[in-house]
Amino acid sequence: MTASTIAPDARNTFESTVGGYTVGGRAHSLSAWFVLSLRLMMGWAFAYSGFTKIVAAEPFSAGGYLTNVAAANGNPLADVFAWMGSTPWFVEFANVAVPWGELLIGLGLLVGALVRLAAFFGALMMLMFYFGNWDVAHGVINGDFAYMLVFLAVAAFGAGRILGLDARIENYDLGGETLLERYPRLEYILG
């Protein structure tokens, strides 16, 4: 169903049921611009962060962060971070995954391609940063947690369909049916 065949009042409505509870609402027509701005903001932040780590004079190293940060702040995952920081293969993996992951997540968000996949991994990174930077002195909500929610909102609202490549990818014609019609599970990584 295309947007032109949907009744005007239904275009900006949404509803979801989780655990027997249903919530719904109606978004303002300007919401698309705010969702787009969140996608572009997080895309720029992550692409820039990853790029600067990749081209830095000193190679990026996650070992010190993983080994020291969690032990110093009462983190409930301190032992997990200590294991990550003291396991050579994991440190080497993180040394590559963090900068390149940030760059690829950022680029995916900026061009609007594979947005749900990029947002999932962005939220996962922010969750790890949340626990790595654990500090509940001012409550359990901090910037890392808020950014994680921004990534999840970008994914939930299908921000790649708003001036992004996901809209074109989803509608790519495969002999009379769209890519998404033929492979509906792609909805979980596109959008």
Side-chain angles (χ1 to χ4, degrees):
M1 185 179 296
T2 63
S4 61
T5 62
I6 299 173
D9 291 333
R11 282 189 205 160
N12 294 328
T13 61
F14 52 93
E15 182 176 283
S16 178
T17 301
V18 176
Y21 294 98
T22 300
V23 296
R26 186 172 190 283
H28 190 277
S29 61
L30 291 175
S31 298
W33 291 105
F34 293 109
V35 170
L36 175 63
S37 67
L38 290 174
R39 187 190 94 208
L40 295 175
M41 174 194 69
M42 295 307 291
W44 174 256
F46 261 57
Y48 180 79
S49 181
F51 179 76
T52 58
K53 286 178 178 78
I54 292 166
V55 299
E58 293 290 320
F60 174 76
S61 176
Y65 175 84
L66 292 171
T67 303
N68 299 315
V69 71
N73 60 16
N75 189 315
L77 299 180
D79 292 339
V80 174
F81 278 87
W83 173 85
M84 289 188 289
S86 64
T87 306
W89 69 263
F90 191 88
V91 172
E92 288 304 314
F93 168 76
N95 289 345
V96 174
V98 170
W100 284 100
E102 287 177 338
L103 179 64
L104 293 172
I105 288 166
L107 291 175
L109 294 178
L110 285 172
V111 300
L114 305 174
V115 166
R116 286 194 169 127
L117 183 65
F120 168 78
F121 282 109
L124 183 62
M125 284 183 109
M126 294 314 301
L127 180 65
M128 294 306 295
F129 294 149
Y130 173 74
F131 281 110
N133 301 325
W134 184 262
D135 181 7
V136 293
H138 301 288
V140 296
I141 305 300
N142 64 17
D144 297 325
F145 190 87
Y147 286 142
M148 180 183 67
L149 292 179
V150 169
F151 274 118
L152 295 174
V154 164
F157 283 105
R161 296 181 185 123
I162 304 168
L163 296 178
L165 293 178
D166 278 347
R168 293 184 183 269
I169 295 168
E170 288 179 348
N171 292 312
Y172 183 77
D173 184 23
L174 296 173
E177 64 182 341
T178 67
L179 180 70
L180 204 56
E181 288 170 339
R182 183 171 292 176
Y183 305 106
R185 291 184 187 256
L186 287 178
E187 181 179 35
Y188 295 109
I189 62 170
L190 298 169

